């Protein structure tokens, strides 16, 4: 579904991605692992159109989308759940969800909006109870649910998640990953970048490990979980 070839990206002072290659199968849960600063968020930004790669290709459903711009990328069915959730704190839960649907709300497509809203509220019943509540007053876990819900409101075919476990208690992390598995069971293609390698690999089919913007390991999630190098570097020995 997504093929990344020779991806280079820079913030102006030399490349932080040095020719990454990876691919994501339709319907899979794929993990991108690496330490702080390895370049995971940069990969997510490049795919979602928030930054233009300096070199390389990002092919989505056979078409090169590199440098296409975030709005067009969302319209093609790719939605990002950003690092740190970035909910609109002063707005209500309902308004945050509406923001995720703006591309078809501006076309006054109310049917699609209600279908998608129903889907999201069924997945996250907690959000249903809190629709009028200000997003900034939600717990961290609820804000993460809202950030995922907002992304799902665009009716994506593929969901990109940038460190969804960040700052959350283990039990909440477990719930979030269980929901991602449920979504995967409904046919969603999922690409997650994480520092929390163990829980991610337990819920993934395939994984890539990057260091300083370069791919160092890749394989089936089960194999990576058992790999001594992964254990030592990312799973606490
Ligand atoms: P983290 O877990 O901290 O989010 P990461 O693996 O997602 O780490 P990136 O955020 O992609 O890593 O960062 C890769 C490199 O790019 C790092 O060296 C980082 O300092 C640098 N970098 C990231 N964002 C910027 C920016 N806006 N301007 C300049 N350099 C940046």
């Amino acid at each position: 579904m997504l093929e990344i070839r020779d991806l280079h990206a820079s913030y102006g002072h030399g490349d932080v991605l040095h020719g990454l290659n990876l691919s994501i199968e339709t319907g899979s849960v794929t993990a991108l692992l690496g330490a702080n600063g390895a370049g995971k968020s940069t990969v997510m930004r490049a795919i979602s159109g928030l930054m233009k790669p300096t070199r390389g290709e990002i092919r989505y459903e056979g078409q090169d989308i590199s440098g296409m711009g975030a709005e067009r990328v969302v319209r093609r069915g790719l939605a990002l759940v950003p690092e740190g959730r970035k909910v609109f704190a002063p707005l209500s839960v309902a308004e945050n969800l509406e923001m995720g649907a703006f591309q078809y709300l501006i076309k006054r497509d109310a049917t699609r909006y209600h279908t998608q809203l129903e889907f999201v509220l069924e997945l996250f019943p907690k959000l249903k109870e809190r629709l009028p509540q200000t997003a900034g007053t939600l717990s961290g876990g609820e804000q993460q649910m809202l950030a995922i819900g907002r992304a799902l409101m665009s009716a994506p075919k593929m969901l990109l998640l940038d460190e969804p476990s960040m700052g959350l208690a283990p039990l909440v992390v477990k719930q979030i990953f269980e929901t991602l598995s449920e979504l995967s069971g409904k046919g969603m293609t999922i690409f997650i970048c994480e520092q929390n390698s163990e829980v991610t690999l337990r819920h993934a089919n395939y994984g890539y490990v990057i260091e300083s913007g370069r791919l160092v390991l890749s394989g089936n999630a089960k194999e990576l979980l058992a790999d001594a190098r992964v254990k030592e570097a990312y799973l606490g020995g």
Side-chain angles (χ1 to χ4, degrees):
M1 189 170 202
L2 191 92
E3 288 278 334
I4 292 181
R5 288 285 159 260
D6 192 32
L7 186 67
H8 291 250
S10 163
Y11 294 97
H13 306 282
D15 284 350
V16 296
L17 300 180
H18 306 274
L20 272 190
N21 294 299
L22 57 91
S23 56
I24 296 163
E25 299 283 327
T26 305
S28 70
V29 177
T30 304
L32 178 63
L33 309 174
N36 206 349
K40 304 179 301 296
S41 295
T42 307
V43 174
M44 293 299 186
R45 282 185 209 126
I47 299 172
S48 52
L50 295 172
M51 76 186 284
K52 197 172 157 63
T54 47
R55 217 165 92 197
E57 263 190 356
I58 303 171
R59 297 191 82 79
Y60 171 68
E61 294 186 319
Q63 256 207 320
D64 190 6
I65 58 162
S66 50
M68 191 175 255
E71 205 178 319
R72 285 175 68 199
V73 170
V74 174
R75 224 177 289 143
R76 278 171 186 263
L78 275 159
L80 173 71
V81 182
E83 182 172 9
R85 313 182 251 286
K86 308 266 173 18
V87 298
F88 301 107
L91 301 185
S92 70
V93 168
E95 286 164 338
N96 268 271
L97 294 174
E98 277 171 34
M99 299 291 266
F102 81 95
Q103 292 207 342
Y104 47 86
L105 279 179
I106 52 172
K107 293 185 197 148
R108 300 174 189 236
D109 189 345
T111 312
R112 195 152 174 214
Y113 170 71
H114 287 295
T115 308
Q116 223 40 42
L117 186 63
E118 205 173 304
F119 176 75
V120 168
L121 296 181
E122 202 175 300
L123 196 66
F124 296 115
K126 267 215 168 125
L127 293 182
K128 194 172 190 173
E129 295 162 22
R130 303 197 188 280
L131 282 174
Q133 191 172 326
T134 306
T137 64
L138 298 176
S139 70
E142 289 164 351
Q143 289 193 19
Q144 187 61 69
M145 291 172 199
L146 179 56
I148 297 171
R150 181 183 55 189
L152 291 173
M153 286 300 291
S154 68
K157 290 184 258 184
M158 181 168 167
L159 198 60
L160 310 167
L161 298 111
D162 193 342
E163 297 210 28
S165 82
M166 190 195 266
L168 301 179
L171 194 64
V172 181
V173 172
K174 189 168 169 268
Q175 283 168 357
I176 297 282
F177 274 89
E178 279 168 4
T179 308
L180 294 176
S181 293
E182 191 185 332
L183 262 176
S184 163
K186 293 178 196 281
M188 181 74 68
T189 306
I190 298 178
F191 187 38
I192 313 172
C193 79
E194 264 293 349
Q195 287 193 48
N196 200 339
S197 307
E198 185 159 7
V199 71
T200 311
L201 287 175
R202 288 200 188 287
H203 291 83
N205 308 110
Y206 204 82
Y208 292 91
V209 182
I210 60 171
E211 271 174 25
S212 307
R214 289 185 172 86
L215 190 65
V216 290
L217 264 180
S218 65
N220 289 328
K222 280 202 179 75
E223 284 165 18
L224 286 180
L225 261 175
D227 190 300
R229 290 163 295 179
V230 177
K231 273 190 182 156
E232 193 176 330
Y234 302 104
L235 306 176

